Amino acid sequence: METSDLRKAGLKATLPRLKILEVLQQNKHDHLSAEDVYRRLMDNDEDIGLATIYRVLSQFEDAGLVIRHHFEDGHALFELEQGPHDHLICVKCGKIEEFFDNEMQQRQRDLAQKSGFDLSKHTLVLYGECQASNCENDTTLKKDSS
Amino acid sequence: METSDLRKAGLKATLPRLKILEVLQQNKHDHLSAEDVYRRLMDNDEDIGLATIYRVLSQFEDAGLVIRHHFEDGHALFELEQGPHDHLICVKCGKIEEFFDNEMQQRQRDLAQKSGFDLSKHTLVLYGECQASNCENDTTLKKDSS
DNA sequence: ACTTTAGATGCGAATGATTCACAGTCAAGA
DNA sequence: TCTTGACTGTGAATCATTCGCATCTAAAGT
């Protein structure tokens, strides 16, 4: 059923690619590293090499199917392309929320234009402390255990 | 003269640290990698180990003296802390421009608040094509030579 | 269905940025 | 000046990511 998506992107519909796509779809709202994808496939007894995952994720990125992010620590995280949106990251628990604000997008276009740039994309990340009751329980960004 | 800055930050005023600070000040408007700093010091016949540069830059970051960025490729780039501002990056020549827009900052605070986040910092990068006549001459982000 | 072949894959080695370990050094307070 | 804890240089170690290459396989043609 997604084989067509891949063909449209000029990619052969191979099993590894379909499985990777499936993992991304099952985690639509997360941001996964190549390792994350790899582990999830392992857990599912899919035997796909890590190098393949890196290759495929890059191809997906080129094809516009996924977005690659480099948040705080510089390591790559991927998410399915789901239209423009920005991120809000809790510095305590690492939770990543998404949001969209039209007015902000518009202002970004204006500012780029004012500087003589033909805007092609942007990255906006807001960092702060969330108020979730389970905050501090996640470990994604934890550095020490005070 | 900057030894006081270092002491204030709780760091001993050592020669390597002063030299690194000096390089950052001489390149106030650039964004340097640890390697960049290293090369500049080498060119100046300063014999400072690369590991020291990484260590010192991290300490400067902790002390709030420098900001660490992870643009497109995930590698760390540093710049002297010079108050809040955002970045505009040319996808063709790699030029990085800085700008500041109060209204945008305000809207970011509002949005974070709306989501229940206590905003502590943010990252906004706009990517596009610049109109500089010498665009395409830089190589920072070049990938192929079409 | 069977062949062909360009493009994919898996494996392990290679790379590049960054960090670590540790022995030698130095800034700064007594 | 002496002492000491913090700092540094070196080279090795680590971690994410990419490469090289022999092997496979999707998909287009017979």
Side-chain angles (χ1 to χ4, degrees):
Chain A
M1 79 200 255
E2 298 87 352
T3 61
S4 55
D5 293 333
L6 293 176
R7 297 244 184 70
K8 236 177 291 171
L11 299 168
K12 272 195 200 170
T14 65
L15 203 65
R17 296 215 257 240
L18 288 169
K19 291 299 179 186
I20 292 170
L21 201 48
E22 195 178 303
V23 166
L24 292 172
Q25 282 164 342
Q26 287 166 351
N27 295 274
K28 236 188 231 301
H29 304 297
D30 285 338
H31 298 74
L32 305 179
S33 67
E35 275 281 339
D36 291 336
V37 173
Y38 181 63
R39 267 196 298 274
R40 272 160 229 243
L41 288 169
M42 293 302 255
D43 292 349
N44 242 58
D45 289 316
E46 302 292 347
D47 222 330
I48 297 177
L50 186 52
T52 298
I53 295 178
Y54 276 103
R55 270 183 305 237
V56 168
L57 287 172
S58 289
Q59 292 159 345
F60 283 3
E61 185 191 13
D62 291 344
L65 293 175
V66 311
I67 305 292
R68 180 196 304 258
H69 295 287
H70 292 286
F71 297 130
E72 287 287 68
D73 69 356
H75 296 160
L77 295 182
F78 301 84
E79 69 173 331
L80 266 194
E81 160 63 53
Q82 297 164 80
H85 63 270
D86 295 307
H87 298 85
L88 211 41
I89 302 183
C90 176
V91 296
K92 276 170 68 187
C93 71
K95 183 174 63 179
I96 302 179
E97 279 189 23
E98 308 192 334
F99 69 91
F100 176 79
D101 183 67
N102 221 321
E103 185 176 316
M104 185 112 81
Q105 309 264 333
Q106 183 56 52
R107 184 142 195 89
Q108 286 171 15
R109 277 191 292 275
D110 293 348
L111 283 168
Q113 191 170 42
K114 199 168 71 179
S115 296
F117 273 67
D118 182 11
L119 190 59
S120 56
K121 74 168 195 172
H122 78 270
T123 292
L124 169 61
V125 187
L126 305 181
Y127 296 92
E129 290 187 19
C130 76
Q131 301 172 344
S133 54
N134 63 339
C135 180
E136 199 77 79
N137 294 338
D138 262 72
T139 56
T140 323
L141 292 184
K142 279 264 190 63
K143 288 194 175 157
D144 57 338
S145 50
S146 56
Chain B
M1 78 199 252
E2 298 87 351
T3 61
S4 56
D5 293 334
L6 293 177
R7 297 245 182 70
K8 236 177 293 173
L11 299 168
K12 270 194 200 172
T14 64
L15 203 65
R17 296 216 257 241
L18 287 169
K19 291 299 179 187
I20 292 171
L21 200 49
E22 195 178 302
V23 166
L24 291 172
Q25 282 164 341
Q26 286 166 353
N27 296 274
K28 234 187 232 303
H29 304 298
D30 285 339
H31 298 74
L32 305 180
S33 68
E35 275 280 338
D36 290 337
V37 173
Y38 180 64
R39 267 196 298 275
R40 271 160 231 243
L41 289 169
M42 294 301 255
D43 292 351
N44 245 57
D45 289 315
E46 303 292 347
D47 222 329
I48 296 177
L50 186 51
T52 298
I53 295 178
Y54 276 104
R55 270 183 306 236
V56 168
L57 286 172
S58 289
Q59 293 159 345
F60 283 3
E61 186 191 13
D62 292 343
L65 293 175
V66 311
I67 304 292
R68 180 197 303 260
H69 295 286
H70 292 286
F71 298 130
E72 286 288 66
D73 68 357
H75 296 159
L77 295 182
F78 301 84
E79 69 173 330
L80 265 194
E81 161 62 53
Q82 296 164 83
H85 63 270
D86 296 306
H87 298 87
L88 211 42
I89 302 183
C90 177
V91 296
K92 277 170 69 186
C93 71
K95 182 175 61 177
I96 302 179
E97 279 189 23
E98 308 191 336
F99 68 92
F100 176 80
D101 183 66
N102 221 322
E103 185 177 317
M104 184 113 79
Q105 310 263 334
Q106 184 55 52
R107 187 145 193 86
Q108 288 171 14
R109 277 190 293 274
D110 293 348
L111 284 168
Q113 192 170 41
K114 199 168 70 179
S115 296
F117 272 67
D118 182 11
L119 190 60
S120 57
K121 72 167 197 173
H122 78 270
T123 294
L124 169 61
V125 187
L126 304 180
Y127 296 93
E129 289 188 19
C130 77
Q131 302 174 343
S133 54
N134 62 339
C135 180
E136 200 76 80
N137 293 339
D138 263 72
T139 55
T140 322
L141 294 181
K142 279 265 190 62
K143 288 194 176 156
D144 56 341
S145 50
S146 57

